[in-house]
Amino acid sequence: GIGNNCGTYLLAIFFSYVCLLYVLLWFYVLFGLGFYEHFRCEDMKHPGETPEENFEDTGDDCSMNLGTFLLLLLSLYWTVHVIINFLRVMVAGVMATFLWAKDDARGCCSLAIWGSIFRGLTYSFGSICFGSLVQG
């Protein structure tokens, strides 16, 4: 079934890149918030000074809030699993269409793929999100 519908391979590669881009964006946000918290804390300790003047002072802890980090970690975990599970639902929908209507599931970008994407993003998206959070 999958060999007859190479569009599933293309979508798997596409969603792998989407997942990779999201992880890179997540690290960018994580480091950005970390630097923001550090400089905000340093500015509150030494108002009016430039960061170069108070760079040597490391007496107080000016790190990111643990709650913020845990929420960011939860968002990374949840979003990556939503993308993976959406891909699983999409492939399962293509295979189900192939079993019941082989002519609709043949070709590179057949109706089975578009129908499966539509069903995954509309009817099944809440279940995909909840299942990704609970089961992972």
Side-chain angles (χ1 to χ4, degrees):
I2 296 292
N4 291 334
N5 206 331
C6 65
T8 55
Y9 294 118
L10 297 175
L11 283 174
I13 292 169
F14 173 74
F15 281 113
S16 296
Y17 282 121
V18 167
C19 202
L20 176 68
L21 288 175
Y22 180 76
V23 170
L24 293 175
L25 176 69
W26 185 85
F27 276 110
Y28 177 76
V29 169
L30 178 71
F31 289 130
L33 280 175
F35 287 128
Y36 170 76
E37 288 291 326
H38 176 74
F39 287 125
R40 185 177 65 94
C41 178
E42 288 293 327
D43 191 39
M44 290 174 71
K45 288 191 321 189
H46 306 284
E49 295 181 11
T50 62
E52 292 82 18
E53 293 172 354
N54 60 20
F55 186 74
E56 299 296 325
D57 183 23
T58 59
D60 294 333
D61 184 27
C62 288
S63 59
M64 184 187 300
N65 185 1
L66 180 64
T68 304
F69 177 72
L70 291 177
L71 284 176
L72 279 172
L73 197 61
L74 176 68
S75 74
L76 175 70
Y77 171 82
W78 195 7
T79 304
V80 166
H81 280 86
V82 165
I83 293 170
I84 291 169
N85 289 333
F86 171 73
L87 187 61
R88 288 179 181 170
V89 167
M90 193 261 321
V91 170
V94 170
M95 290 306 298
T97 304
F98 180 78
L99 290 175
W100 292 103
K102 291 186 192 299
D103 292 335
D104 290 342
R106 293 188 192 268
C108 184
C109 294
S110 65
L111 291 175
I113 290 180
W114 296 111
S116 182
I117 290 172
F118 177 76
R119 286 187 301 273
L121 289 177
T122 55
Y123 302 121
S124 302
F125 196 66
S127 300
I128 292 169
C129 290
F130 184 68
S132 297
L133 182 63
V134 173
Q135 187 254 346

